[in-house]
Amino acid sequence: MRWGRPWISDVAACAFMVLVAAFVTRGLLADPAGRALSLNPGDQALDEWFLAYATRAYRGDFAFVTGALNAPEGINVLGNASLIGLGLLFAPLTLAFGAPVTFAVATGFNLAANGAGWYLLLSRTARLHRLAAGVGGVFCGFAPGMVSQSNGHLHMTAAWLVPAIVWCVVTLAQGTRTVQRGLLLGGLVVAQFFLGEEVLLLTAVALALFCLAFVATCRPIPRHVLPSLGLGLVIAGGVALALLAYPIWVQFRGPQSAPGAVFRPEFYSADLKSFAALSPLSLAGGNGATRLASGPSEYTAFFGAPALIAVLGATLWMWRRPAVVACTVVSIVLWALALGPHIVVGHERTEQWAPYSLIAGTPIVEWALPTRFALATVPLLGFVLASVVHAAITQTETLKVLVPVAVIAALVPLAPRPLPTADRAPVPRFFTEGYWRGYAPRDGTIVPVPLPDWRDPQPMRWAAATNVAFATPQGWFIGPYGTDGTSAVGVFPRPTSQLLHRALANANPPALTDQDRIDLRRDIAFWHASCFVLADGQAEAGALHSTLDALLGPGEHVADVWVWRARA
């Protein structure tokens, strides 16, 4: 039975990853349609819309630029974190059970698959002891940054192809099947582009820095390494360029493309104190550290002092091993980039220059938030920790128990808590049971009241419940609506949308003018609107209801909503 033991260990390790992922996402899995991430429900609504939109590919009706959101001008899907890869992969699940179920499953799947992927790479390719590989895999899959990004950033946690990408690069350096590995690497790059483009960028940066650091610390370099690696990368680059040329053109030059970064790097920078702090989403973390990050989805640099001490000790012990030293050096470089343009200490921005200033504004790089460079160090640190556990178990007698226990003890405070969730309003039966078809044609425009925007994108869930069978005006997305056509979140609301938001904010129907009625007719014509829909139980529904009655005449109660047919 000796031949079977490694497989048993592998299955047990992967099963453990699944159990931890289920624990982290248990709030969502318990009631996907009735619960939402309490720390970031807006991004979850956007993710669910994208997951639902991807199902249109199964009926041959998917495009990189679509008018299904922000009707009729539409959005550039590739210019947003659009989850194309995840959406296509999980489309059967979405079609069967709905986007909320897919979101809950995909959130846990990403975490478990990341951990399992790194475990297999460490145990099979790096040939580390399986306990050591398990420690590294669990850290890579469930590090505080990965759990934090699970709050609505599925495009950042969908990194389970990265271990395969690293494997391809390693085998290319070994001179193994150069052409085949190059072709495979190119295919993986294309797949990761559609899973999460920012992850691909961070992976490329980390791998490039690692190769440079490894070459600088390892002498001599075998003669076959550079030719084999170079040829493989050229083949991979050719494959990726051929397959991604058009999508990249659409993203940066196509309709509704938005030049420039929409999020300021000064705001999304890692606080120097956060590196030694424990994430509020970790077992030993507290809410006092929340001020050290821009939000609960960006606790990317919260590694904690115990883990950093363990990494330092491991590096000092194994300073003769080029791979370990290279990982630590690259991690320090990436941490420096994560600090942003100027160093922030204790939520106070200083005038001290930081290395990110050298690349700020660089095309493509500007789309990556500085703090996420710290996320790229997770697998590097995982390798260092796994290596020291392996060395202790296989090469010493006195430390074979002490070192693994010490490393695990240093990581226990980072153990994740379940993602916080809260109740959310159900999608009206008007949409889930198909009543809407009597009031709008397929791919027609239904105007939710109030209209969705970055402040409240929840009405986008109505379209998601129908697998985006109708179009929605406005919404939460990135488009060319900033100054001189630069990037902005959402679109400036049209007059009727502003009128409805005033009614909502004041809890009172505003006095209507002839201009309001003229604006309404223009907006209906612009949106190609079929009807306006107000859900029962909507906050301050009375003011909105009265306003629409005054504009369009008495509404019709259908199932659990009020409907006003549009009259241009």
Side-chain angles (χ1 to χ4, degrees):
M1 292 295 293
R2 288 181 61 84
W3 62 270
R5 289 176 185 173
W7 290 99
I8 294 174
S9 299
D10 293 346
V11 171
C14 294
F16 179 75
M17 308 290 182
V18 172
L19 290 175
V20 177
F23 171 75
V24 172
T25 58
R26 66 178 185 176
L28 292 173
L29 293 172
D31 185 9
R35 304 284 292 179
L37 296 168
S38 59
L39 298 179
N40 196 3
D43 279 355
Q44 180 177 347
L46 176 64
D47 282 356
E48 289 179 3
W49 190 93
F50 279 126
L51 290 170
Y53 176 68
T55 63
R56 294 174 60 132
Y58 279 49
R59 64 173 192 257
D61 188 23
F62 180 91
F64 292 147
V65 179
T66 177
L69 191 62
N70 187 37
E73 294 180 327
I75 66 167
N76 187 310
V77 175
L78 291 168
N80 289 266
S82 49
L83 308 182
I84 294 175
L86 279 177
L88 294 176
L89 178 65
F90 286 101
L93 182 67
T94 307
L95 290 168
F97 300 105
V101 172
T102 299
F103 179 86
V105 171
T107 300
F109 173 84
N110 283 349
L111 292 173
N114 288 337
W118 287 110
Y119 164 80
L120 293 173
L121 184 74
L122 293 171
S123 62
R124 299 297 185 84
T125 303
R127 300 186 180 278
L128 300 184
H129 188 280
R130 277 175 165 73
L131 174 61
V135 170
V138 170
F139 177 79
C140 291
F142 302 95
M146 299 303 295
V147 174
S148 171
Q149 292 290 333
S150 295
N151 278 298
H153 292 173
L154 295 185
H155 65 293
M156 293 304 302
T157 60
W160 30 271
L161 288 183
V162 175
I165 291 173
V166 173
W167 176 79
C168 284
V169 173
V170 170
T171 54
L172 282 174
Q174 294 171 343
T176 306
R177 299 179 180 178
T178 301
V179 175
Q180 294 93 324
R181 292 291 187 268
L183 292 172
L184 177 58
L185 177 58
L188 290 171
V189 167
V190 172
Q192 184 60 57
F193 176 89
F194 290 110
L195 279 175
E197 188 176 359
E198 192 170 346
V199 170
L200 182 61
L201 171 64
L202 295 175
T203 301
V205 171
L207 276 173
L209 291 174
F210 175 83
C211 289
L212 292 174
F214 186 81
V215 168
T217 56
C218 181
R219 290 286 189 273
I221 299 294
R223 291 183 178 181
H224 69 270
V225 169
L226 293 181
S228 176
L229 182 60
L231 177 59
L233 292 179
V234 169
I235 293 172
V239 170
L241 182 61
L243 296 178
L244 294 177
Y246 176 69
I248 291 174
W249 178 85
V250 171
Q251 178 179 355
F252 292 103
R253 290 291 184 267
Q256 292 298 94
S257 59
V262 68
F263 301 114
R264 294 173 55 236
E266 294 82 4
F267 183 72
Y268 290 96
S269 300
D271 192 302
L272 191 59
K273 285 189 174 182
S274 67
F275 290 92
L278 294 173
S279 167
L281 299 176
S282 295
L283 184 66
N287 291 330
T290 56
R291 62 191 296 271
L292 299 179
S294 58
S297 296
E298 299 298 339
Y299 298 144
T300 54
F302 287 65
F303 294 102
L308 295 182
I309 292 172
V311 169
L312 176 61
T315 305
L316 293 175
W317 186 20
M318 297 185 292
W319 66 275
R320 292 181 181 274
R321 303 193 180 187
V324 171
V325 174
C327 283
T328 302
V329 170
V330 173
S331 295
I332 294 172
V333 173
L334 292 173
W335 287 340
L337 292 175
L339 295 173
H342 292 88
I343 295 177
V344 178
V345 182
H347 200 59
E348 295 293 332
R349 188 170 306 279
T350 70
E351 295 302 317
Q352 178 61 50
W353 171 89
Y356 183 85
S357 300
L358 298 174
I359 59 174
T362 303
I364 301 179
V365 173
E366 66 179 351
W367 287 73
L369 304 183
T371 185
R372 293 180 183 173
F373 280 101
L375 204 63
T377 68
V378 169
L380 300 172
L381 301 183
F383 175 77
V384 173
L385 294 172
S387 295
V388 75
V389 173
H390 170 82
I393 293 175
T394 60
Q395 300 173 19
T396 68
E397 287 297 330
T398 57
L399 300 177
K400 67 187 308 178
V401 174
L402 179 60
V403 170
V405 169
V407 170
I408 293 173
L411 298 181
V412 165
L414 304 183
R417 299 177 182 178
L419 295 172
T421 59
D423 291 334
R424 64 175 174 180
V427 174
R429 291 187 296 110
F430 179 79
F431 297 102
T432 59
E433 297 180 10
Y435 291 97
W436 66 272
R437 295 189 182 93
Y439 296 84
R442 190 173 191 85
D443 293 326
T445 302
I446 293 178
V447 183
V449 180
L451 281 78
D453 58 19
W454 63 271
R455 294 167 296 185
D456 182 18
Q458 296 306 316
M460 291 167 55
R461 297 174 55 228
W462 298 358
T466 69
N467 292 321
V468 192
F470 61 84
T472 304
Q474 292 190 187
W476 161 214
F477 62 93
I478 296 174
Y481 296 103
T483 304
D484 297 326
T486 56
S487 296
V489 175
V491 63
F492 190 78
R494 294 186 67 85
T496 301
S497 177
Q498 296 179 50
L499 178 70
L500 294 172
H501 272 287
R502 286 201 304 273
L504 179 65
N506 298 331
N508 234 335
L512 299 179
T513 65
D514 290 341
Q515 186 61 48
D516 292 327
R517 293 180 171 84
I518 293 172
D519 289 336
L520 172 67
R521 291 194 294 270
R522 290 174 176 169
D523 292 343
I524 289 175
F526 176 79
W527 290 325
H528 306 296
S530 297
C531 62
F532 291 72
V533 177
L534 173 66
D536 289 349
Q538 170 73 47
E540 310 300 343
L544 294 168
H545 190 285
S546 298
T547 302
L548 287 167
D549 276 349
L551 287 170
L552 294 166
E556 179 182 355
H557 193 260
V558 183
D560 50 356
V561 304
W562 286 90
V563 185
W564 290 263
R565 294 185 186 273
R567 300 181 181 90

